[in-house]
Amino acid sequence: EIIFITEVTNLITTAFSGGTTIDIGDGTAEDFFIADTGIAETSAGNLARSKLGKKLNSNGQVKITFGGAPTAGAGTLVVKLFRWAQG
């Protein structure tokens, strides 16, 4: 089976506090999909999107890394992908 990520989207639904930073990576590079500089963590309604594709192996990841000292905040992460069986 092959898994391919086609898009990663992050929506800040409630503003984060405490100097929060958010990176969305692939388990190897912390900011592979979206770097913290592309996310306005203190702005509710902020939408960040990456259409950078990535083929995953069997232990592939989409990983969110929080920095700073968040005490409040919320968001939604949507990952679009497709799978197909080989053979």
Side-chain angles (χ1 to χ4, degrees):
E1 180 177 63
I2 295 174
I3 301 170
F4 193 85
I5 294 175
T6 59
E7 186 175 321
V8 175
T9 303
N10 184 72
L11 172 65
I12 302 297
T13 55
T14 303
F16 283 86
S17 62
T20 303
T21 61
I22 300 172
D23 285 291
I24 303 171
D26 66 351
T28 301
E30 188 174 86
D31 60 355
F32 181 84
F33 293 109
I34 305 174
D36 67 285
T37 56
I39 301 172
E41 294 88 347
T42 59
S43 298
N46 177 256
L47 184 70
R49 178 176 292 138
S50 170
K51 292 191 176 193
L52 181 62
K54 169 109 177 151
K55 178 183 169 189
L56 298 182
N57 56 25
S58 61
N59 62 348
Q61 301 178 32
V62 174
K63 185 175 181 180
I64 301 172
T65 303
F66 291 91
T71 57
T76 299
L77 181 69
V78 176
V79 179
K80 292 184 180 178
L81 58 88
F82 62 86
R83 301 174 169 211
W84 73 93
Q86 292 179 293

